Amino acid sequence: MHSFDELLLAFSEHFKQSHFPAGTPTLYGPANYFLEMGGKRIRPVCVLMGNELFDTILPDSWMVATAIELFHNFTLIHDDIMDKAPLRRGMETVHTRYGEPTALLSGDVMLVAAYDYLNKVKAPSFHRIIRIFNQTARQVCEGQQLDMDFEKLDRVSLEDYLQMITLKTSVLLAASLQLGAVLGGAGEGNQQHIYTFGKHLGISFQIQDDYLDAFGDPVRFGKQVGGDILSNKKTFLLIRALETADAGQQQQLRELLKSDPPDKVEQVLEIYRACGVHEWALDLKTQYLQSALQNLDDIAVVSKRKAPLEALARFLVQRDY
Amino acid sequence: MHSFDELLLAFSEHFKQSHFPAGTPTLYGPANYFLEMGGKRIRPVCVLMGNELFDTILPDSWMVATAIELFHNFTLIHDDIMDKAPLRRGMETVHTRYGEPTALLSGDVMLVAAYDYLNKVKAPSFHRIIRIFNQTARQVCEGQQLDMDFEKLDRVSLEDYLQMITLKTSVLLAASLQLGAVLGGAGEGNQQHIYTFGKHLGISFQIQDDYLDAFGDPVRFGKQVGGDILSNKKTFLLIRALETADAGQQQQLRELLKSDPPDKVEQVLEIYRACGVHEWALDLKTQYLQSALQNLDDIAVVSKRKAPLEALARFLVQRDY
C-alpha cells in the first residue's frame, strides 16, 4: 500500500514524458507549455489509489491515470478560453499566450492524446473503461455548460448548483477512483461505493473551496480572498445567503451584486456572517465528508487498505489553503 | 456491391438517430442544430465502401462511419470558431447562433460521442481502429494549425501547402477508407493501397475545389466565384502564380493582395490565366486522380468490386459544382 504522497511523486515522474509526436511545434508547444505548469495531480493519483484499494497496481492503471490527467488539462485549457481567464496558477493561460485558435486546437489534441493512453489498456474491461471515461467526459461538458447558463440567471437554487458542481468537478474524481477499482477487479457494488465516495468527497472539496475563497487566511490560502465575491460568482455561500437572508439583507446583497464599492468584500462577508452562512458551509462540508467516509466504510475490503483514501479525504477537506 | 448513392441514402437514414443523451438542451441543442444542417457525408460512406471492397459490410462499419462523421462535424464546428466564419452551407454557424463558449463545448461533446461509437466496435482489430482514428485526428489538428500558421506568412511553398492540405483534408478521407478496409479484413498491403488512393483523391478534390472557386460557373458552383481571391486565401492557384509569374505580375499580384479594388477578382484571374495557372491546375488534378486510380488498381481484389470507388473518384474530381 502507498500513501497519496508516494503515488503523487511516482505519477509526477511518470507524467513528465512527452505526450505528443515530434513536429508541428506551433501546436504541441502550447500544449506542452500548459502541462509543464504542473497541477495537483489528484485525479490520476486517485486512479492508482482506486486500483490499489483492491489489488496491486496494474500497468494499465498508469495509462488510465495519464489519460485522466490529460483529459483534466484539456478541460482546463478550454474552460480558460470560455471564461476568458488571463491567468492560471499565476501564469498566462494558453489562449492569452498563443491566441484562442491555437488554445482551442491544443486542447483538442490533448483530448485525442488521452484516448491514445486509454487505447493502451490491455485488461478485458477495456470497453467498460472507455464507457465510464466517455460518460464522465460528457458530464463534465454538461457541468461547464450549466455553469455558463447559471451565470445568466438571477437566481439559482442550491439543488441546481449542487447538480452543476457535481457534474463539473465531482464526477471526474469519482470516475477516476472507479476506473482504478475496475482495473483492480472490484465488483459492481464496490465500484458504486467508491464512485459515490469520490462524488461526496468532490462536493465537500468544492464547499471548502468556496469557503476558503471567502473566509480563508489570505497568507495561507495563497491568493486574494474574496475573488468569488468580486466577480459575483455564484457559490455555495452566495446561493445560501440569497435563500436565507431577510428582506433587508436580500436587498442589500442584490445591490452589491450590481455594484463595486471599495468595501464590497467586507460588506458581503458581513451579510454572510449575519445569515450564518459561515457555520452552514462548514456543517455541509462535514456532512459530505461523513457521507464519503461512510461510502468508504461500505467497501468490502479490509480496513487497512482504506487508510490512504481516508487520509486523503480528511486532508483535502480540512486543508486551509 | 452498392454504389456511393445507395450507401449514402442508407447512411443518411442511419445517421438521423440522436447521438446525445436527453437533458442539457443548451449543450446538445446546438450540437444537433449543426448535425441537422446536413453535409455531403462522403467520409462515412467511404468507410462502408472501404469495407465492401473486401467483404460484406459489417455492423461495426456503421459504428465507425458514424464516428467518422461526428469527428468531421466536430472539426467543422471548431474550425468555424477559429476562422470566425459567420455562415456554413448558408446557415448560421454554431458560434454565431449560440456563442463561442457553447460552440466550443458542443464540438467537444461531439468528439466524445465519436469515441462512443468507436467503443461499440466488436472486431478484434478494435485497438488498431482506435489507433488509426487517433493518428488521423492528430493530423487533422496539425493541418488546421499549419493552415493558421500559413496565413501569417507572406510566402508558402507549394510543397508546404500540399503537406498542409494533405493533413487538413486528405488523411481523413484516406483513413475512412482504410478503417473500412481493416474491418473488411484487408491485409497490410491492401490497406496501404486504399489509404494512398484516398490521400491522392483528397488532394485532387482540393485542387478541384480551389479551381472551381476561381474558374467555376457561378450558377453551377452555387456560391460566389472568387471568394478565395477576395479573402486572399492561399490556394494551389495563388501559390503557383506567385511561383511562376514574371517580376511585373508578381508585383501586381502582391499589390492586389494588399488592396481591395472593385475588380480584384477579374485582375487576379487575368494574372492566373496569363501564367497558365488554369491549365496547370487541371493537369495537376488529373495527375493526382491518375495516381489514385493506379493505387486502386494495385489492390488485390477483383476489379468489379472496385467499380463503385472508381466511379466515386471520377465523380468527385470531375464535378463542376
Side-chain angles (χ1 to χ4, degrees):
Chain A
M1 296 295 293
H2 299 88
S3 69
F4 176 84
D5 284 344
E6 287 166 339
L7 292 173
L8 174 62
L9 201 67
F11 180 78
S12 301
E13 269 308 306
H14 175 87
F15 194 68
K16 271 184 193 156
Q17 63 182 299
S18 169
H19 304 289
F20 306 103
T24 328
T26 48
L27 176 60
Y28 298 122
N32 281 322
Y33 162 79
F34 191 77
L35 292 180
E36 283 160 13
M37 274 190 200
K40 293 194 281 286
R41 316 294 192 213
I42 295 171
R43 297 156 193 83
V45 174
C46 278
V47 175
L48 303 174
M49 293 178 87
N51 181 162
E52 203 175 29
L53 178 61
F54 298 96
D55 207 340
T56 312
I57 299 174
L58 291 179
D60 280 350
S61 281
W62 293 90
M63 300 302 150
V64 174
T66 305
I68 286 284
E69 185 60 13
L70 289 170
F71 172 79
H72 177 58
N73 281 273
F74 142 78
T75 66
L76 296 181
I77 293 175
H78 279 191
D79 283 4
D80 284 343
I81 298 174
M82 292 182 251
D83 300 344
K84 301 200 174 299
L87 298 173
R88 177 172 291 274
R89 298 180 196 126
M91 290 176 74
E92 281 181 310
T93 46
V94 181
H95 67 274
T96 307
R97 196 174 172 107
Y98 300 100
E100 288 193 13
T102 293
L104 203 169
L105 265 184
S106 62
D108 291 346
V109 289
M110 207 172 281
L111 179 56
V112 173
Y115 283 103
D116 264 337
Y117 283 98
L118 290 178
N119 198 35
K120 293 187 206 291
V121 170
K122 295 187 171 63
S125 53
F126 179 76
H127 284 289
R128 178 158 170 78
I129 300 273
I130 302 250
R131 208 152 57 235
I132 294 169
F133 185 93
N134 285 358
Q135 158 87 352
T136 308
R138 247 193 317 273
Q139 289 175 324
V140 172
C141 291
E142 291 170 11
Q144 170 68 7
Q145 181 64 45
L146 289 179
D147 197 10
M148 299 191 300
D149 292 345
F150 289 177
E151 274 176 29
K152 293 175 201 136
L153 298 180
D154 263 358
R155 191 146 202 162
V156 173
S157 72
L158 192 61
E159 193 187 343
D160 287 345
Y161 180 73
L162 198 57
Q163 163 72 355
M164 181 278 282
I165 277 301
T166 302
L167 291 169
K168 188 172 167 173
T169 75
S170 297
V171 295
L172 187 56
L173 194 68
S176 299
L177 289 160
Q178 188 190 359
L179 288 167
V182 169
L183 290 168
E188 193 58 48
N190 287 330
Q191 282 180 39
Q192 284 317 309
H193 292 316
I194 190 142
Y195 183 89
T196 316
F197 163 77
K199 201 169 83 170
H200 286 148
L201 180 59
I203 295 168
S204 188
F205 182 85
Q206 184 65 45
I207 299 168
Q208 175 76 345
D209 222 50
D210 287 1
Y211 175 86
L212 286 177
D213 193 274
F215 297 109
D217 175 341
V219 179
R220 297 274 302 152
F221 191 46
K223 56 182 178 181
Q224 183 193 23
V225 165
D228 289 347
I229 293 173
L230 289 172
S231 64
N232 296 326
K233 201 177 154 203
K234 292 186 184 76
T235 63
F236 275 106
L237 309 175
L238 177 59
I239 290 168
R240 171 70 180 181
L242 285 169
E243 285 192 353
T244 54
D246 63 32
Q249 289 165 329
Q250 286 251 7
Q251 176 67 15
Q252 203 189 336
L253 208 44
R254 296 212 171 273
E255 267 160 29
L256 281 165
L257 285 172
K258 281 181 240 150
S259 60
D260 285 304
D263 60 344
K264 179 166 173 167
V265 174
E266 289 71 26
Q267 282 198 58
V268 171
L269 287 181
E270 203 171 304
I271 300 173
Y272 282 180
R273 285 199 194 88
C275 302
V277 161
H278 174 273
E279 294 87 3
W280 170 86
L282 290 179
D283 269 2
L284 191 67
K285 179 189 83 169
T286 306
Q287 278 174 39
Y288 275 104
L289 174 63
Q290 292 307 327
S291 297
L293 294 174
Q294 182 58 53
N295 303 132
L296 189 61
D297 204 49
D298 290 342
I299 297 170
V301 297
V302 288
S303 59
K304 69 172 179 185
R305 294 197 83 90
K306 300 177 185 174
L309 279 172
E310 184 178 336
L312 174 66
R314 293 194 188 278
F315 167 74
L316 283 181
V317 167
Q318 281 156 18
R319 76 206 150 95
D320 55 2
Y321 56 91
Chain B
M1 297 296 291
H2 298 88
S3 69
F4 176 84
D5 285 345
E6 287 166 339
L7 292 173
L8 175 62
L9 201 68
F11 180 78
S12 301
E13 269 309 304
H14 174 86
F15 194 68
K16 271 186 192 155
Q17 63 182 298
S18 170
H19 304 289
F20 305 103
T24 329
T26 47
L27 176 61
Y28 299 121
N32 281 322
Y33 161 79
F34 192 76
L35 293 180
E36 283 160 13
M37 274 188 199
K40 293 194 281 284
R41 315 295 192 212
I42 294 170
R43 295 155 194 86
V45 173
C46 279
V47 176
L48 303 174
M49 293 178 87
N51 180 162
E52 203 175 29
L53 178 61
F54 298 94
D55 205 341
T56 312
I57 298 175
L58 290 179
D60 279 350
S61 281
W62 294 89
M63 299 303 150
V64 174
T66 306
I68 286 284
E69 185 61 13
L70 289 171
F71 172 79
H72 177 58
N73 280 272
F74 141 77
T75 65
L76 295 181
I77 294 175
H78 279 191
D79 282 3
D80 284 343
I81 298 175
M82 292 182 251
D83 300 344
K84 302 202 172 299
L87 298 174
R88 177 173 289 275
R89 297 177 196 128
M91 291 176 74
E92 279 181 311
T93 46
V94 181
H95 68 273
T96 307
R97 196 174 171 109
Y98 300 100
E100 287 192 15
T102 293
L104 202 168
L105 264 184
S106 62
D108 290 346
V109 290
M110 206 171 281
L111 179 56
V112 173
Y115 283 103
D116 263 337
Y117 282 98
L118 290 178
N119 197 34
K120 293 188 208 288
V121 169
K122 294 187 171 61
S125 52
F126 179 75
H127 285 287
R128 178 160 170 78
I129 300 272
I130 302 249
R131 209 153 55 235
I132 294 169
F133 185 93
N134 285 357
Q135 158 86 353
T136 308
R138 246 192 317 271
Q139 289 175 323
V140 173
C141 291
E142 291 170 10
Q144 170 69 6
Q145 181 65 44
L146 289 179
D147 196 10
M148 299 190 300
D149 292 345
F150 289 177
E151 275 176 31
K152 294 174 201 136
L153 299 181
D154 262 358
R155 191 144 202 165
V156 173
S157 72
L158 192 61
E159 193 188 342
D160 288 345
Y161 180 74
L162 198 58
Q163 164 71 355
M164 182 276 285
I165 277 301
T166 302
L167 291 169
K168 189 172 167 171
T169 74
S170 296
V171 295
L172 187 56
L173 194 69
S176 299
L177 289 159
Q178 188 191 359
L179 288 168
V182 169
L183 290 167
E188 193 59 46
N190 286 329
Q191 282 180 40
Q192 286 316 310
H193 291 317
I194 191 144
Y195 183 89
T196 316
F197 163 77
K199 202 169 81 169
H200 287 149
L201 181 59
I203 295 168
S204 188
F205 182 84
Q206 184 64 45
I207 299 168
Q208 175 76 345
D209 223 50
D210 286 1
Y211 175 87
L212 286 177
D213 193 272
F215 296 109
D217 175 342
V219 178
R220 296 274 301 152
F221 190 47
K223 56 182 177 180
Q224 185 194 19
V225 165
D228 289 346
I229 293 174
L230 289 171
S231 63
N232 297 326
K233 202 177 153 205
K234 292 186 183 75
T235 63
F236 275 104
L237 309 176
L238 177 58
I239 290 167
R240 171 71 179 180
L242 285 169
E243 286 192 351
T244 54
D246 64 31
Q249 290 165 330
Q250 286 251 7
Q251 176 67 15
Q252 203 188 337
L253 207 44
R254 296 213 170 271
E255 267 160 30
L256 281 165
L257 284 172
K258 282 182 236 149
S259 60
D260 285 303
D263 61 343
K264 179 166 174 166
V265 174
E266 289 70 26
Q267 283 198 57
V268 171
L269 286 181
E270 202 170 305
I271 299 173
Y272 282 180
R273 284 198 195 89
C275 303
V277 162
H278 172 273
E279 295 86 1
W280 169 85
L282 290 179
D283 269 1
L284 191 67
K285 180 189 83 167
T286 305
Q287 279 174 38
Y288 276 104
L289 173 64
Q290 293 307 328
S291 298
L293 293 174
Q294 182 58 53
N295 303 131
L296 188 62
D297 204 48
D298 290 341
I299 299 171
V301 298
V302 289
S303 60
K304 69 171 179 185
R305 295 198 82 91
K306 301 177 185 175
L309 279 172
E310 184 179 336
L312 174 66
R314 293 194 187 278
F315 166 74
L316 283 181
V317 167
Q318 280 157 16
R319 75 206 152 92
D320 55 2
Y321 57 90

